Amino acid sequence: MASLARLRPSVARRIPAFARAIQTSADTTQLQDVITDHSQPFTVKLHEDSFRAYKCDTPTLDVQVNKNELLKMYKDMQTMRRMEMAADALYKAKLIRGFCHLAIGQEAVSVGLEYGITPEDRVITAYRCHPFAVMRGGTIKGVIAELLGRQGGMSRGKGGSMHIFTPSFFGGNGIVGAQVPVGAGLAFAQKYLGKKTAAFALYGDGASNQGQVFEAFNMAKLWNLPCVFVCENNKYGMGTSAERSSSNTEYFTRGDKIPGLQVNGMDIIASKHAVQYARNWVTEGNGPLLLEFVTYRYGGHSMSDPGTTYRTREEVQRMRSTQDPIRGLQRYIEEWGLASEQELKQFDKAAKAEVDQAVEEAKQSPEPTTADFWTDIYYKGTEPPFMRGRERDEVHYY
């Protein structure tokens, strides 16, 4: 494969001539109103290159926001990052084993998604799933305990990093791209039951070339399912850049007859606004929509990947220093007079304390017992009278 890659022509970013590129700055949204009452919503204007559309209109650039929601989003983004940093430290201390994929740098996607949907909507993603699990009703302790393989984990310590669920969050899935057709199935169920809700099926740019992804696109459009296919384009599929793996890197255009929207995934306000637009699109009977968040991960693909063999340290540092989604929201809050730097530092301290406490509680949780291995094989209440184990005489009776 390496020799084939060398034979390929130059892989400069493939954007058609004269087309405007999406911009991924985290702090280009401008205040439109004079804020006189912090308890009331106010209007801001997104950068003109926050969205690019395919077979649909772009969302309006004028967005109404309010102080309380912006502060809550800041706290949630900071807390999610702290949680992932804690997982990083626990892995390096060899308390977490196996696969572990962190989403540091991509907080505007998970938090923005949650603030743009309802509790009744359905979400499914791949293995970079920890923030989604918490935002969809899980707990930090539940995630950390699951990573540690403890009974207090959200899957009772038997699922690990890639298999965490809530009643409205369907994982955490380890097979590349396999969650996309399952997400289409969730949308089918919503439509079949007559519910005006949406299903969001997330995948990465690395999974975008999987055949089952395109099969899911076809079925979703054929049946006009209320499914939003969300590509988290963090520029690298494992250690391969998007340009080296995909002939078409404009992932929002890949749905054929399905409209698409490309979004600045580093600006939390743009992310939330795009999710609301996408949800309205599919729940109003327009069929599926492709949503591409252009984002960036600071760490490697997983904890076993240093993340510096296929990109430079300077590139990562530049993204951290100039396009960080949390720092971008911090700048909005401070410049618009919603909170001071010192007040936001208190949020940061509270987030660290919350995560530190969750880590300690997770560590205190016991490991699963031998008897626990016989549970969760069948949905509770549907177990057979008995189950055979590894050998003929190893039998467990329910």
Side-chain angles (χ1 to χ4, degrees):
M1 290 299 290
S3 60
L4 286 174
R6 287 194 291 270
L7 293 174
R8 292 189 60 178
S10 173
V11 288
R13 188 81 179 160
R14 298 182 185 85
I15 297 175
F18 310 115
R20 301 186 68 143
I22 198 81
Q23 67 86 33
T24 54
S25 295
D27 58 358
T28 54
T29 297
Q30 299 295 318
L31 182 65
Q32 294 294 97
D33 295 338
V34 176
I35 304 175
T36 57
D37 184 352
H38 284 173
S39 67
Q40 297 299 315
F42 55 93
T43 302
V44 298
K45 190 180 184 81
L46 296 167
H47 189 280
E48 61 181 340
D49 293 326
S50 295
F51 309 115
R52 292 175 65 209
Y54 169 74
K55 294 189 175 182
C56 65
D57 295 328
T58 57
T60 175
L61 297 177
D62 292 325
V63 184
Q64 277 211 330
V65 296
N66 64 77
K67 173 184 175 178
N68 288 340
E69 184 175 72
L70 291 175
L71 291 177
K72 284 175 61 181
M73 289 195 294
Y74 178 84
K75 178 182 181 296
D76 285 338
M77 292 173 74
Q78 192 69 258
T79 305
M80 293 304 96
R81 181 167 295 184
R82 285 286 182 183
M83 178 182 70
E84 295 289 65
M85 290 169 63
D88 177 275
L90 290 167
Y91 196 97
K92 289 173 179 175
K94 298 185 178 181
L95 294 174
I96 296 175
R97 302 290 185 133
F99 294 105
C100 186
H101 306 80
L102 305 180
I104 299 173
Q106 300 181 209
E107 294 86 1
V109 176
S110 56
V111 177
L113 177 75
E114 183 60 33
Y115 277 80
I117 62 178
T118 71
E120 291 74 33
D121 292 320
R122 300 292 184 254
V123 177
I124 186 170
T125 188
Y127 32 72
R128 212 175 301 282
C129 66
H130 310 153
F132 295 100
V134 176
M135 297 304 297
R136 286 270 85 191
T139 64
I140 298 169
K141 175 193 171 184
V143 168
I144 297 296
E146 190 60 39
L147 299 182
L148 293 171
R150 305 300 177 90
Q151 289 183 23
M154 289 174 63
S155 295
R156 301 181 180 87
K158 297 186 288 184
S161 172
M162 298 188 287
H163 304 100
I164 306 175
F165 312 90
T166 76
S168 63
F169 177 63
F170 291 75
N173 294 270
I175 300 174
V176 176
Q179 74 279 4
V180 179
V182 178
L186 293 173
F188 179 82
Q190 300 293 83
K191 184 173 182 177
Y192 184 84
L193 295 172
K195 296 182 178 179
K196 198 173 182 179
T197 51
F200 289 77
L202 292 94
Y203 59 100
D205 52 288
S208 64
N209 297 318
Q210 290 285 319
Q212 58 192 329
V213 172
F214 292 94
E215 292 178 31
F217 289 173
N218 177 62
M219 287 188 289
K221 184 58 182 175
L222 183 65
W223 297 331
N224 262 354
L225 301 180
C227 187
V228 182
F229 296 101
V230 183
C231 178
E232 288 187 88
N233 176 10
N234 61 20
K235 311 293 182 67
Y236 297 94
M238 298 185 72
T240 304
S241 68
E243 291 80 5
R244 287 185 59 206
S245 65
S246 301
S247 61
N248 177 8
T249 57
E250 296 181 318
Y251 298 103
F252 70 109
T253 68
R254 285 180 157 209
D256 190 12
K257 293 187 176 183
I258 301 177
L261 186 68
Q262 189 182 52
V263 183
N264 175 7
M266 302 302 275
D267 187 318
I268 183 71
I269 297 176
S271 294
K272 180 207 168 189
H273 190 46
V275 169
Q276 290 176 318
Y277 175 94
R279 185 185 185 280
N280 289 338
W281 177 278
V282 301
T283 57
E284 289 173 3
N286 296 311
L289 184 78
L290 263 63
L291 193 61
E292 176 192 349
F293 285 111
V294 182
T295 182
Y296 196 83
R297 59 169 162 82
Y298 297 155
H301 169 71
S302 67
M303 288 300 297
S304 60
D305 168 25
T308 55
T309 57
Y310 47 87
R311 57 184 182 177
T312 64
R313 294 182 186 274
E314 291 74 21
E315 175 186 314
V316 179
Q317 185 55 41
R318 176 177 57 81
M319 293 296 294
R320 277 184 176 273
S321 61
T322 64
Q323 300 183 45
D324 184 80
I326 298 179
R327 298 285 76 79
L329 180 55
Q330 177 184 355
R331 180 182 166 188
Y332 293 153
I333 291 170
E334 291 178 6
E335 288 189 353
W336 299 342
L338 306 179
S340 67
E341 181 180 359
Q342 290 304 314
E343 288 173 321
L344 291 182
K345 284 184 178 179
Q346 293 304 313
F347 280 107
D348 301 347
K349 289 181 180 179
K352 183 179 184 302
E354 182 182 357
V355 171
D356 288 347
Q357 180 180 350
V359 169
E360 292 308 311
E361 290 177 0
K363 286 180 178 179
Q364 299 305 314
S365 179
E367 295 181 353
T369 65
T370 304
D372 291 326
F373 290 121
W374 296 102
T375 63
D376 302 314
I377 302 171
Y378 289 85
Y379 184 75
K380 190 173 183 180
T382 67
E383 302 91 347
F386 63 89
M387 282 288 296
R388 281 182 53 181
R390 295 162 297 178
E391 300 175 1
R392 185 180 297 274
D393 58 351
E394 186 178 31
V395 179
H396 176 78
Y397 290 90
Y398 289 96

